[in-house]
Amino acid sequence: MPLLLQGALAWVAGTALGLSVRDARPWLVALLLCAALGWLARRSRRARNAEYGMALALLVGAGLLLGADLAAADRRCAALARAGDLRELTLGAAAAPGSFVRAELHAPGCVVPLAVAVRSGAAAAGARVRWEGGELSEGDRGLLLRDARLRSVAGPGPLARWRNTVAARLDARFAADGPMVRALLIADTRGLDPGLRERYADAGLVHMLSISGLHVAIVGGSLLLLAGVLRLPPRVAAVAAVATTGLYVLAIGAPPPALRSVTLFAATQAARLAQRPISPWGAYALGALVPLVEPRTVLDLGWQLSVSGYAAIIVAGRVGRRMPEDWPRWGRALGRELTTGALSTLATAPLVAWHFGRLSLVAPLSNLFAGPIVSLLQPALFVVMLLPDVPGLGIVMDASVALMRALDAVAAAAAALPLAAVQVAPSQLAIVLALLGTAAVLVAGWSRAPARPALVAILATAALAWLPADRGIGAASGELELHVLDVGQGDALALRSPRGRWLLVDAGRVWASGDAGRSVVLPYLRRRGGVVTDLVLTHPHADHIGGATSILRALHPARVHDSGFVEPSEHYAEVLREAAAAGAEWRRLRPGQRFDFDGATVEVLAPDSAWVTTLRDPNAASAVLAVTYGTHRLLLTGDAEADEERWLLEHRPAALAATVLKVGHHGSRTSTGADFLAAVGPRLAIVSVGAGNFYGHPSPEVMRRLTLAGAQVLRTDQLGPIVLRSDGTKLEVEAAGIRWPVAPRLPEHP
């Protein structure tokens, strides 16, 4: 292993440690002690090893000091922001009233990530804004700015304007396929269907839905191929390909994986032109280090996955060259591809398990089929992005759409295989052992003497298997939790009792090839453990009960609660048949019913059975539940609309007051009337809605009404799953990887 790579690893480890810990002094003392011991051992028989160890310890220490200094600078900037001295932000996405966007607070020497819950004001992605009012608090992934009023300071810069323009053009050209094309070309993953995300994640292909080193390498290789077709001189071809690829990476925001890939591409082309051999590990170290011009990148998951996966590719190349010579040519090629896929999956598995709680077992096989498709799709989309509307462009677009359909077919087929993916919830010790084991496997694959690293891998695997299962999974927490799942345009809410049991309210939508119950709800609940005792069907629309059949088959809830509106639809009939086959007790919901849910009280407020018989619209017969735990109350409204809200105001006005409101009918303008909202008086309003849905949900009118009423609005299309936790006194929200306490309701303002 080259000295450059070993030194880089030491410096990276120190920087990551310095950025992660609050107090770096104990670690620095330990490293200085190691360096001192190395200095004292210089004259021993192992002087060379001692000096080598001392040098590595000093590199780790240098990285530690740098990381600690950067972390301290970020904390100082955060303190200045809390004091009101820093108020200008750069938005990572378009902001509007009620939205929740990522942003960065820039000041000399620091870059502080923020999550901003917008109360008023609007600005485009990349714009600079000044925030007023609101509340700034510390989250576990940066700062959270709640209920902010934004005022534009400057528009987006040239690159941000280019991305916004390209995004609009791609949406116009590809319509429904626009979100996927944007993800593949300009690293804009907003609007991707959650069902599609889940399908690709189960298939081990989710890395293909955003810009990675693979995409940049394909673009660079395609440009070289084009230069060859045009018979350009080798030097001109290499310079043009590197320059074009570099400009492309800069234009999309220079994400760390893409920056690593273009650096490696440039180094490879330079070595080829100079006719000098280049060490794969030396080039690897160079590509890994260039993104660390901003040292905070060392904590970026995309960078971590990129460098892990490419290390596996290097090792797989060496393993492939050792395959028996008597194998047929196709067998050797297939073996190399499967080895690359298996090692890449193994190298990134600990990171994927820790961050996503999922491991795809079919990834090596699915990538074998998906790789050639992406190799054709990426350059075709690149051409579509660059060209104006010229004759022949439609042919390229049609070919691109066909390739996307083929890629999706591979993902669907792989995800449908038995045990395609498993849900995991590893502890920190398990992740450390997994990282040690995967690193040992890679070292064994590269080394000419693999016995020792192979033994380390075996011991790490044995220790990992010996670890007891995490007893916290599914265990009693003493808190009530409400999980609002991201099922696209639909509803699925999971209420977890203080004893760890689940009550599921709706199960999401259904589509031609699957349903949200199987692809979203079931994996989500299985990862967290615990028994599902009750399933509530608020009303028989397919976007609420479409996944119920999968839940009944897999989790066997003891009771099914139904609003009682009989809908002559196949989905509703199938749910009833499956409930009967599973032996679940069927219960009709009636106003006034109450039952204890391990210390929390669930009360049915609507619908009234006599009133239901006069209705034709299932939305008007939605089950409305109030969940009380300690001093907090959650109001879950299904798709209740104005008529049912008026009925509640007439018959149960005192029961409507709640801390949290699950906004009715995905934020439609037919729900959440002013009088109803005044009676509820929520501090937090949650909208379950699909990104880019053609209904136009949520209504801007409703969003304005909620923000003027002083409620903080959270949306699943912007945040993904939203989790509320309460011990009966305090209430905490977790969304987009950030946790914060629910603030008191703000006063109304114009």
Side-chain angles (χ1 to χ4, degrees):
M1 186 178 292
L3 290 176
L4 174 62
L5 179 58
Q6 296 177 51
L9 289 174
W11 182 77
V12 164
T15 305
L17 185 62
L19 286 166
S20 303
V21 299
R22 296 288 296 186
D23 187 359
R25 287 173 296 182
W27 296 93
L28 184 59
V29 169
L31 289 168
L32 290 175
L33 180 60
C34 291
L37 291 174
W39 183 80
L40 292 173
R42 286 182 307 151
R43 296 184 179 180
S44 69
R45 293 182 178 178
R46 297 185 178 273
R48 185 175 179 180
N49 291 338
E51 292 177 354
Y52 173 72
M54 179 177 65
L56 289 182
L58 289 174
L59 279 172
V60 174
L64 180 68
L65 287 174
L66 174 63
D69 184 62
L70 291 172
D74 289 347
R75 288 193 292 270
R76 286 194 298 270
C77 286
L80 290 174
R82 282 193 292 269
D85 295 332
L86 296 177
R87 288 186 172 271
E88 285 196 5
L89 308 171
T90 301
L91 297 176
S99 64
F100 192 103
V101 298
R102 294 286 185 177
E104 287 184 343
L105 180 126
H106 292 273
C110 67
V111 178
V112 182
L114 267 74
V116 184
V118 182
R119 189 176 187 187
S120 63
R128 278 198 305 127
V129 299
R130 182 177 177 84
W131 59 272
E132 300 171 350
E135 180 180 350
L136 196 65
S137 59
E138 189 80 33
D140 59 343
R141 295 189 185 179
L143 296 177
L144 171 69
L145 178 58
R146 294 175 288 183
D147 300 290
R149 296 191 290 273
L150 302 183
R151 181 168 57 84
S152 180
V153 173
L159 291 181
R161 287 199 303 272
W162 178 82
R163 290 188 72 200
N164 294 340
T165 301
V166 169
R169 185 194 309 158
L170 294 175
D171 284 342
R173 287 180 173 178
F174 287 94
D177 293 313
M180 186 171 180
V181 176
R182 283 190 277 110
L184 290 169
L185 280 176
I186 58 174
D188 181 358
T189 57
R190 293 170 297 165
L192 280 177
D193 183 83
L196 182 141
R197 285 179 183 268
E198 292 293 324
R199 185 161 64 251
Y200 277 69
D202 285 345
L205 299 174
V206 73
H207 62 285
M208 293 186 176
L209 293 178
S210 61
I211 294 294
S212 65
L214 170 67
H215 300 78
V216 174
I218 291 173
V219 169
S222 301
L223 290 171
L224 286 177
L225 182 62
L226 177 62
V229 172
L230 297 176
R231 298 184 179 277
L232 295 178
R235 186 176 299 274
V236 174
V239 171
V242 170
T244 304
T245 308
L247 288 173
Y248 169 57
V249 169
L250 290 175
I252 63 175
L259 190 56
R260 178 205 62 78
S261 184
V262 76
T263 302
L264 184 64
F265 179 58
T268 303
Q269 293 307 308
R272 182 173 298 172
L273 290 176
Q275 296 185 354
R276 293 288 188 272
I278 182 171
S279 165
W281 290 113
Y284 168 81
L286 181 63
L289 286 174
V290 165
L292 298 184
V293 169
E294 167 50 69
R296 296 173 182 86
T297 303
V298 74
L299 299 182
D300 181 82
L301 176 62
W303 178 85
Q304 294 171 356
L305 291 171
S306 180
V307 297
S308 300
Y310 193 70
I313 291 173
I314 294 175
V315 174
R318 184 153 183 164
V319 173
R321 289 192 293 270
R322 294 173 181 166
M323 290 182 179
E325 293 291 341
D326 56 351
W327 282 18
R329 185 174 181 179
W330 66 266
R332 288 169 59 84
L334 180 61
R336 284 194 295 268
E337 292 296 328
L338 289 175
T339 300
T340 301
L343 286 178
S344 299
T345 301
L346 179 66
T348 56
L351 295 170
V352 172
W354 179 253
H355 286 276
F356 303 111
R358 182 200 319 253
L359 288 176
S360 175
L361 303 182
V362 298
L365 183 62
S366 61
N367 279 271
L368 180 66
F369 289 95
I373 298 174
V374 175
S375 297
L376 296 173
L377 173 62
Q378 194 69 22
L381 291 177
F382 191 72
V383 168
V384 174
M385 179 183 70
L386 293 180
L387 290 182
D389 292 325
V390 295
L393 183 64
I395 298 175
V396 182
M397 289 176 57
D398 291 342
S400 301
V401 171
L403 289 168
M404 282 192 286
R405 297 288 180 272
L407 182 62
D408 197 59
V410 171
L417 293 174
L419 294 178
V422 293
Q423 304 297 313
V424 293
S427 64
Q428 290 184 350
L429 178 57
I431 288 298
V432 170
L433 289 171
L435 287 170
L436 177 62
T438 54
V441 168
L442 295 182
V443 173
W446 181 263
S447 176
R448 294 179 180 177
R452 288 185 180 179
L455 179 61
V456 172
I458 292 171
L459 292 176
T461 304
L464 193 61
W466 175 80
L467 282 180
D470 187 350
R471 296 180 181 177
I473 302 299
S477 66
E479 295 182 322
L480 182 74
E481 300 177 2
L482 176 66
H483 298 247
V484 183
L485 278 61
D486 181 11
V487 292
Q489 187 65 16
D491 268 16
L493 289 71
L495 191 71
R496 190 174 196 174
S497 79
R499 288 176 50 192
R501 302 192 303 165
W502 295 96
L503 180 151
L504 187 61
V505 181
D506 291 328
R509 61 197 185 95
V510 64
W511 52 86
S513 60
D515 61 77
R518 184 183 67 188
S519 64
V520 180
V521 182
L522 186 57
Y524 189 95
L525 298 183
R526 278 183 168 166
R527 183 191 172 198
R528 287 154 181 80
V531 177
V532 176
T533 60
D534 296 82
L535 171 62
V536 176
L537 308 176
T538 60
H539 64 293
H541 274 164
D543 61 329
H544 288 248
I545 68 167
T549 302
S550 295
I551 297 300
L552 287 163
R553 288 171 181 166
L555 300 179
H556 310 292
R559 293 168 292 276
V560 176
H561 306 263
D562 191 0
S563 65
F565 187 98
V566 179
E567 171 80 352
S569 71
E570 180 57 33
H571 295 306
Y572 184 56
E574 185 179 5
V575 171
L576 295 181
R577 287 195 297 267
E578 192 59 41
E585 179 185 355
W586 188 88
R587 291 185 177 182
R588 166 77 165 80
L589 293 172
R590 293 181 175 83
Q593 286 180 339
R594 293 189 180 188
F595 60 92
D596 177 77
F597 190 51
D598 296 340
T601 301
V602 180
E603 181 182 2
V604 181
L605 304 185
D608 177 72
S609 56
W611 187 51
V612 166
T613 60
T614 67
L615 302 175
R616 295 185 178 181
D617 182 5
N619 285 342
S622 281
V624 178
L625 306 179
V627 182
T628 305
Y629 188 60
T631 60
H632 294 292
R633 190 170 174 88
L634 317 176
L635 189 63
L636 313 180
T637 58
D639 274 0
E641 295 189 330
D643 288 343
E644 191 167 12
E645 291 176 355
R646 283 192 290 270
W647 187 93
L648 287 165
L649 288 169
E650 292 173 6
H651 295 85
R652 303 300 303 276
L656 295 178
T659 312
V660 178
L661 170 66
K662 202 293 293 184
V663 176
H665 200 186
H666 321 293
S668 166
R669 62 183 179 83
T670 59
S671 301
T672 321
D675 293 341
F676 178 78
L677 186 57
V680 178
R683 284 187 265 167
L684 191 71
I686 301 177
V687 186
S688 178
V689 63
N693 66 86
F694 62 84
Y695 300 102
H697 295 161
S699 162
E701 177 186 349
V702 171
M703 294 298 98
R704 176 173 172 79
R705 198 178 298 152
L706 288 166
T707 54
L708 291 179
Q712 181 182 351
V713 182
L714 304 179
R715 297 164 43 174
T716 57
D717 62 331
Q718 297 174 342
L719 300 173
I722 300 167
V723 182
L724 307 181
R725 296 185 178 89
S726 175
D727 61 2
T729 304
K730 296 180 294 184
L731 183 63
E732 181 184 72
V733 181
E734 180 179 351
I738 302 175
R739 293 185 293 270
W740 69 93
V742 175
R745 188 163 64 95
L746 298 178
E748 296 184 11
H749 70 92

